[in-house]
Amino acid sequence: MGQDRQQLLLAKTCLLASQILMENGSELARIDDTVKYISNTYSAGNDEIESYVTSTLIIITANDPSDEEMQPLVLVEKTNVKSINLTKIDEINRLSRAFVARELTLKELYAELRALRKMPMTSLTKANIGSFFLSSTLTYLATQSIVASILAGLFGTLGMYIVTKIYDALHRPFIGELIVAAVITILVRLIMLVTPLPEFNTIIIGALFPLLPGVQLTTSINDIFDGNLISGPQRLLSALILTFTMVLGSLLVFTIWR
């Protein structure tokens, strides 16, 4: 019974690590490697831990090859990419290395992973500040205009704030990005009624830049090259739809406002 409990704890630890990595935008190869590091370090080949991960589902199986009568343990969990948080992914790497180095026990690793999953994302204030500097810097590099740079930074901050609030309220992707693209385009057009903005297209692009799924695109391509032909195309399609959604929101305003 004690061995069964330890096998269950090992499987739950691998499942939890996989969930955290997937929810925060990790590529699938990293998830598979992390499961192997944890299971091989603990069981030294006594337990066979296998993982099957897609963009919406994680399956962890544990089997003791020395006990032919024992049924394999199977854990299944639905999941999805909730955000891009490289800090949590790096923390998983640190914890797994500490476990491999025998600095953590399996029980301690599981407790650390549970605490990590509950850890909140970067505060909205930091996200807004980051959006301002990213939007303003890129716009200034493209236009050499301080006014355009400041406007793009302000609109980028507003866009990040609105998207975050809409997602917290609806828990649906794409809707916030569509609304934000339309709102930013409307604000730029309203300003153009008062004063000309030669760089208005660049301002809109710069303001929307922090919302573009750059990391998701890179991860999807890595998954495809690694042979993950289910999750890779799914992530790629999601990133393309998100980009198209922002373009659509802006084009709708330009089409209606003539």
Side-chain angles (χ1 to χ4, degrees):
M1 181 64 70
Q3 180 63 29
D4 293 345
R5 289 182 176 179
Q6 287 301 105
Q7 189 184 70
L8 176 60
L9 179 59
L10 175 60
K12 290 174 65 176
T13 301
C14 292
L15 178 64
L16 184 55
S18 301
Q19 283 181 287
I20 297 172
L21 289 170
M22 174 57 70
E23 289 172 351
N24 292 280
S26 173
E27 63 272 21
L28 300 190
R30 183 186 298 273
I31 298 175
D32 290 335
D33 289 343
T34 301
V35 170
K36 290 178 182 177
Y37 290 146
I38 294 174
S39 62
N40 291 340
T41 298
Y42 178 78
S43 65
N46 295 324
D47 289 321
E48 292 180 351
I49 303 292
E50 298 292 340
S51 64
Y52 177 76
V53 183
T54 71
S55 58
T56 57
L57 186 69
I58 298 176
I59 301 175
I60 299 292
T61 62
N63 183 42
D64 186 354
S66 64
D67 189 350
E68 297 181 356
E69 297 181 358
M70 182 178 179
Q71 293 295 322
L73 174 66
V74 181
L75 300 180
V76 181
E77 188 73 32
K78 292 180 64 177
T79 187
N80 63 292
V81 179
K82 296 181 178 179
S83 61
I84 302 297
N85 191 335
L86 300 181
T87 301
K88 285 193 176 183
I89 295 176
D90 182 67
E91 186 65 14
I92 288 285
N93 293 337
R94 185 190 69 80
L95 290 173
S96 63
R97 286 194 295 267
F99 181 70
V100 170
R102 310 292 182 177
E103 297 173 2
L104 292 174
T105 65
L106 182 63
K107 188 174 182 179
E108 290 171 341
L109 176 61
Y110 183 70
E112 290 281 355
L113 291 175
R114 291 188 63 182
L116 178 62
R117 194 181 185 200
K118 295 178 181 179
M119 187 176 71
M121 282 286 294
T122 302
S123 68
L124 183 57
T125 301
K126 291 182 180 179
N128 290 336
I129 293 174
S131 298
F132 177 86
F133 282 105
L134 179 59
S135 296
S136 60
T137 301
L138 291 175
T139 304
Y140 182 78
L141 291 175
T143 64
Q144 305 298 313
S145 170
I146 296 178
V147 174
S149 173
I150 294 175
L151 287 174
L154 293 175
F155 293 153
T157 302
L158 177 64
M160 179 62 69
Y161 179 82
I162 294 176
V163 164
T164 303
K165 291 299 182 181
I166 291 177
Y167 185 82
D168 289 342
L170 303 178
H171 298 287
R172 292 290 185 272
F174 310 130
I175 298 177
E177 287 79 1
L178 177 68
I179 295 174
V180 163
V183 168
I184 290 176
T185 306
I186 290 173
L187 291 175
V188 171
R189 293 302 299 262
L190 288 174
I191 294 176
M192 289 176 63
L193 295 178
V194 180
T195 181
L197 290 175
E199 308 89 355
F200 70 93
N201 281 329
T202 308
I203 294 173
I204 296 173
I205 294 172
L208 294 176
F209 194 85
L211 301 177
L212 290 175
V215 176
Q216 189 174 350
L217 281 170
T218 304
T219 302
S220 66
I221 294 173
N222 285 337
D223 286 342
I224 292 173
F225 285 163
D226 287 333
N228 296 305
L229 299 181
I230 296 178
S231 296
Q234 284 179 341
R235 287 184 172 186
L236 180 60
L237 180 61
S238 177
L240 293 177
I241 292 176
L242 180 59
T243 304
F244 174 76
T245 299
M246 289 189 284
V247 174
L248 178 63
S250 186
L251 285 178
L252 285 175
V253 175
F254 276 113
T255 302
I256 296 173
W257 193 335
R258 288 185 176 178

